[in-house]
Amino acid sequence: MSSSAPAQNIAVLGIGLMGKPMATRLLQAGLSVTVWNRTRAKAAPLATLNAHIADTPADAVRDAHVVITMLEAGAIVRDVIAQAEAALRPGTLVIDMSSTRQSEAQEFHARLAARNVNFMDAPVSGGVLGAEAGTLAIMAGGSESDFTRAEPILKLLGRPTRVGPAGCGQIAKLCNQLIVGGTLGIVAEALMLAQAGGADPAAVRTAIRGGFAESRILDVHGQRMLERNFLPGGQVKSQTKDLENVLIAAASGGVRLPLAELLTELYRTILDVVPNADQSAALIALERMNPGKRVGDGPDQLP
């Protein structure tokens, strides 16, 4: 076992694109990990790393000191918590690393507190590659004592930062997704403008890297757009959900975010077309608004 990892039983609920590599890292660190997934077959391969495979959420959490949930949306988190909560022992720490609404995180916190179960929301950014490499940005909302308890575990997954009380992790994630989504949209527009103006989009991307326009998104997703590689890391449906939650949070806070409104509408135009495509498919949404215009000449790589 890693010297930085506490000797605790961990349950991971949700073994999907993100949950599987996260659980893998915990297992590779020598932790005792029980996993559950609605589709058991997705969790089964982790048995080769000595994971215990549970049949139900309740079975997974029964002996856990820390429970990590990584699920698709708040409604699913609510359902899984309902299935598990009777088996949670007082003092257990539940860390929801899904992307939900702030109000949902606060609801889960209150619901579990009534059972003397601790709760943190700790959504992440960094995608599948970040989950595999253990370099996720982790935005944690919860008490200082819960964060101190969770930090050694979260450090196995990435770089955790406490941003405030329960619910604030989700606000930080929305800020992240707003910046990511906005930058994706602008990079797509820049590449299309380059091509429409007769320049080589790939050469334009190379030329502006290193200047103030440089970003991780221009680097990674700009190249994906040029290659038309829309196989998912993040997904259109997740980005759209996050942007819709941005607008809900903005309304709750009494502010209007006009760029967020435009960006949300852009992603909504492809939500029913390529919901499982990578979020860099913002380029596809832009091309649908500009018939006959296309960046790159390769075939689309889609899930």
Side-chain angles (χ1 to χ4, degrees):
M1 180 182 298
S2 167
S3 60
S4 62
Q8 300 191 78
N9 295 327
I10 314 295
V12 180
L13 309 182
I15 306 300
L17 282 174
M18 296 291 289
K20 184 175 181 180
M22 291 165 66
T24 296
R25 289 195 60 83
L26 298 177
L27 288 160
Q28 290 173 337
L31 292 175
S32 174
V33 180
T34 299
V35 299
W36 170 85
N37 195 68
R38 180 176 55 186
T39 305
R40 183 185 173 96
K42 292 184 178 180
L46 293 177
T48 61
L49 296 175
N50 297 318
H52 307 284
I53 313 297
D55 291 321
T56 67
D59 289 340
V61 307
R62 204 173 305 280
D63 296 320
H65 300 100
V66 175
V67 176
I68 293 173
T69 53
M70 177 52 92
L71 301 161
E72 187 173 351
I76 299 174
V77 177
R78 181 181 296 108
D79 179 60
V80 170
I81 287 177
Q83 295 180 56
E85 63 182 331
L88 290 167
R89 300 182 301 179
T92 300
L93 175 59
V94 175
I95 308 172
D96 179 33
M97 303 188 76
S98 320
S99 293
T100 72
R101 298 177 185 175
Q102 181 184 33
S103 60
E104 290 172 326
Q106 292 168 335
E107 170 198 334
F108 304 149
H109 175 258
R111 177 173 182 167
L112 293 172
R115 288 183 171 272
N116 293 317
V117 173
N118 300 57
F119 175 84
M120 287 177 48
D121 57 308
V124 305
S125 179
V128 175
L129 292 179
E132 291 173 344
T135 57
L136 293 170
I138 304 172
M139 298 147 270
S143 71
E144 291 185 11
S145 60
D146 285 341
F147 179 75
T148 298
R149 176 180 172 188
E151 191 172 17
I153 296 169
L154 296 178
K155 281 185 173 180
L156 296 172
L157 305 176
R159 179 177 54 81
T161 303
R162 179 180 177 269
V163 296
C168 288
Q170 298 300 342
I171 288 293
K173 176 61 185 290
L174 293 180
C175 293
N176 179 86
Q177 291 306 92
L178 179 55
I179 293 171
V180 168
T183 309
L184 281 164
I186 289 297
V187 167
E189 290 191 4
L191 294 178
M192 177 167 284
L193 178 62
Q195 182 138 326
D200 177 353
V204 169
R205 172 179 167 274
T206 299
I208 63 179
R209 292 184 65 190
F212 280 153
E214 176 65 290
S215 71
R216 180 71 172 156
I217 289 173
L218 179 63
D219 179 16
V220 175
H221 288 286
Q223 184 64 28
R224 289 175 68 93
M225 291 177 189
L226 291 169
E227 295 173 352
R228 304 197 68 83
N229 176 9
F230 304 116
L231 298 176
Q235 294 179 300
V236 166
K237 62 184 179 182
S238 299
Q239 182 68 53
T240 307
K241 177 199 70 175
D242 288 339
L243 289 169
E244 289 173 341
N245 285 340
V246 165
L247 298 182
I248 290 169
S252 178
V255 296
R256 184 179 177 193
L257 305 177
L259 294 182
E261 293 171 4
L262 291 172
L263 189 60
T264 304
E265 286 305 315
L266 180 72
Y267 273 97
R268 283 173 176 162
T269 65
I270 53 171
L271 182 57
D272 293 331
V273 181
V274 286
N276 297 315
D278 187 80
Q279 54 200 351
S280 58
L283 178 64
I284 293 177
L286 185 62
E287 290 170 343
R288 286 167 59 87
M289 296 172 64
N290 293 275
K293 302 296 184 181
R294 191 174 190 270
V295 173
D297 53 12
D300 288 346
Q301 301 175 56
L302 291 165

